[in-house]
């Protein structure tokens, strides 16, 4: 079981991810709706893994990855991306993201990626 921080500016996406993760046996310890909030919550909660949307207000997901990696170089962050954002995904992986999931996603794929990142 992993302690997960879910970051997405869309409330329904956070709700959907929370449901998938909880049903998969993980614990959602916090939520954030932008990158700035994500960095603060990361400091406070120290989750095992973070799901991070790329496009968000205030601070985007890639900038948030860089900030979290400064706090914890071993942070495990999985990017959530829409189809057609391949260049953003590559940028996120260079910034230190551990993996990614493409929207619209299926529950098994989300859980598979979480487990892959946790075991790496």
């Amino acid at each position: 079981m992993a302690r997960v921080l879910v970051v997405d500016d869309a409330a329904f996406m956070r709700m959907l991810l929370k449901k998938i993760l909880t049903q998969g046996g993980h614990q959602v310890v916090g939520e954030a709706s932008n990158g700035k909030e994500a960095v603060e919550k990361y400091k406070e909660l120290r989750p095992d893994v973070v799901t991070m949307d790329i496009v968000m207000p205030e601070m985007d997901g890639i900038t948030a990855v860089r900030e979290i990696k400064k706090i914890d170089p071993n942070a495990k962050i999985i990017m959530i991306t829409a189809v057609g954002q391949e260049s953003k995904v590559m940028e996120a992986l260079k910034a230190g993201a551990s993996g990614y999931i493409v929207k619209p996603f299926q529950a098994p794929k989300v859980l598979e990626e979480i487990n892959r990142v946790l075991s790496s």
Side-chain angles (χ1 to χ4, degrees):
M1 180 186 95
R3 296 169 65 256
V4 187
L5 171 61
V6 175
V7 184
D8 201 300
D9 58 332
F12 79 94
M13 288 303 296
R14 293 197 306 272
M15 202 170 71
L16 181 62
L17 277 166
K18 203 154 66 166
K19 185 179 173 195
I20 291 170
L21 293 164
T22 308
Q23 286 175 345
H26 300 291
Q27 181 190 3
V28 175
V29 292
E31 293 179 41
S33 59
N34 62 56
K36 192 165 175 261
E37 216 177 287
V39 175
E40 293 306 312
K41 291 266 170 126
Y42 189 89
K43 282 183 205 168
E44 180 192 325
L45 301 166
R46 294 291 175 156
D48 301 319
V49 67
V50 180
T51 64
M52 179 84 69
D53 190 16
I54 292 183
V55 181
M56 294 181 291
E58 275 196 69
M59 182 191 286
D60 72 346
I62 295 168
T63 307
V65 168
R66 290 191 184 107
E67 291 301 310
I68 289 171
K69 283 297 206 176
K70 281 181 201 165
I71 299 162
D72 178 4
N74 300 317
K76 293 182 185 295
I77 306 166
I78 297 172
M79 304 311 288
I80 308 279
T81 173
V83 176
Q85 290 183 323
E86 285 80 8
S87 64
K88 290 275 188 206
V89 169
M90 296 322 294
E91 197 182 333
L93 293 170
K94 280 192 192 111
S98 312
Y100 65 95
I101 300 164
V102 179
K103 288 182 205 173
F105 45 72
Q106 304 298 313
K109 177 72 185 109
V110 172
L111 297 171
E112 192 181 297
E113 188 66 3
I114 294 264
N115 294 333
R116 186 192 67 76
V117 165
L118 286 169
S119 63
S120 66

